[in-house]
Amino acid sequence: EELYPEVEPLSCHEMKDYTPEIATSMSKFHLLSLPTAVLSKPGNEAPSRFETVERWMTGIQSRTDDDFAQKLVKEWQWLRAELLQEPSTATAEQKTAIRFIREWTLTHMDCLSLNILKVGTSSEGKKPIKLIDFEYAGWNPRAADLANTFCEFCDMNNLKGNYAKEYPSRETQDEFLTKYLEPCAIEATPEVLQTLRHEIGRFTLLSHLGWIAWSLVMDDGASNVDFDYLAYARHRMDGYEFHKAEFFS
């Protein structure tokens, strides 16, 4: 933030107001062509975030007396298999939508409100936005990045996320996805939007579980930041269980 003049980050509650702008920014980011010499692609088996979560899970397996950590490892084994398996589709339109949203692209993977800056001035009320902080960028399904962003509509950083009320409504998701699809030559039909919403919803579990594992690694001494990583991990587990019941029931 300090590197840019006249800027301020969004709050999580402003993300809904900036839905079209965030969607456009993420769509353009996902369409970028990046040489593999700059960011190498993972093998064919699993995308970047899966490899990262595997590494974080390895880091917490030493917490053998921690039931929470051991539950997390078991949940990851189940979720990994679920998300690597392509869901069944009934129509050609659904198949096209699934293929599109599961395509590996350059992804940000940390589009929380603090990494979305309002830049400069605007006479129309809303300022232009800029995405920053690409520490967790990688090659992942579009669904993984969009799911992570939808989760960030909830006030999780302050441990006040209300997943039922703050996770984007169907209308907000459709507004986001319609704008997101504009540069991608895919028509936002009701069937396409429904398919995308559900597949993105399934990937919310990857967002929650990944950041829970990250929090436990940080709590084990990987960070000296004054933050209650355990409270954050348990708050994200609430989100994991909420979305698991919604998208995997």
Side-chain angles (χ1 to χ4, degrees):
E1 179 181 343
E2 66 274 8
L3 300 178
Y4 302 97
E6 299 181 359
V7 302
E8 59 177 323
L10 294 182
S11 71
C12 68
H13 301 299
E14 288 181 297
M15 291 181 73
K16 181 179 178 181
D17 297 331
Y18 277 83
T19 288
E21 291 80 5
I22 297 171
T24 298
S25 294
M26 294 191 71
S27 184
K28 291 179 178 178
F29 189 78
H30 291 170
L31 290 171
L32 289 175
S33 178
L34 188 68
T36 54
V38 177
L39 184 65
S40 60
K41 288 187 176 181
N44 294 328
E45 183 181 354
S48 301
R49 180 47 62 100
F50 283 59
E51 294 181 349
T52 302
V53 174
E54 288 279 4
R55 187 168 66 251
W56 288 336
M57 288 292 174
T58 299
I60 67 174
Q61 284 181 355
S62 60
R63 301 169 71 122
T64 54
D65 59 344
D66 186 336
D67 292 341
F68 182 69
Q70 296 308 308
K71 175 185 177 181
L72 196 64
V73 172
K74 291 180 180 178
E75 286 291 326
W76 170 239
Q77 293 170 349
W78 166 81
L79 181 63
R80 187 180 189 280
E82 285 285 336
L83 294 183
L84 287 178
Q85 180 179 349
E86 187 169 317
S88 59
T89 52
T91 69
E93 199 169 21
Q94 289 176 348
K95 185 174 294 186
T96 298
I98 288 293
R99 187 183 303 117
F100 169 78
I101 205 64
R102 291 175 70 93
E103 178 188 6
W104 293 12
T105 67
L106 176 65
T107 52
H108 187 286
M109 296 307 296
D110 197 19
C111 275
L112 75 163
S113 60
L114 296 177
N115 287 337
I116 306 172
L117 301 185
K118 295 181 286 186
V119 182
T121 59
S122 172
S123 59
E124 299 178 358
K126 285 202 293 187
K127 298 180 180 180
I129 63 170
K130 178 189 290 288
L131 303 182
I132 63 167
D133 194 351
F134 306 101
E135 178 183 359
Y136 296 102
W139 298 98
N140 294 289
R142 299 170 187 267
D145 208 6
L146 298 184
N148 191 74
T149 301
F150 284 0
C151 287
E152 293 294 348
F153 277 60
C154 307
D155 193 7
M156 298 178 298
N157 287 341
N158 293 313
L159 307 181
K160 297 178 181 178
N162 186 322
Y163 300 106
K165 291 184 178 181
E166 294 175 339
Y167 186 81
S169 66
R170 188 173 107 173
E171 292 73 23
T172 299
Q173 290 181 63
D174 284 352
E175 179 187 13
F176 184 106
L177 292 169
T178 299
K179 197 70 177 178
Y180 178 88
L181 291 172
E182 284 183 1
C184 303
I186 294 182
E187 185 180 359
T189 67
E191 186 172 19
V192 165
L193 292 174
Q194 181 181 12
T195 303
L196 297 183
R197 286 196 310 269
H198 187 264
E199 187 65 4
I200 291 168
R202 284 162 38 89
F203 272 85
T204 59
L205 272 67
L206 176 64
S207 172
H208 290 305
L209 210 63
W211 291 118
I212 295 168
W214 169 85
S215 297
L216 296 184
V217 170
M218 295 298 107
D219 183 65
D220 279 341
S223 172
N224 57 8
V225 175
D226 184 16
F227 182 72
D228 193 340
Y229 289 104
L230 285 180
Y232 180 73
R234 295 190 181 280
H235 191 51
R236 293 300 300 249
M237 180 56 80
D238 292 340
Y240 177 88
E241 292 173 347
F242 175 85
H243 284 125
K244 184 177 181 180
E246 182 170 359
F247 296 110
F248 285 89
S249 59

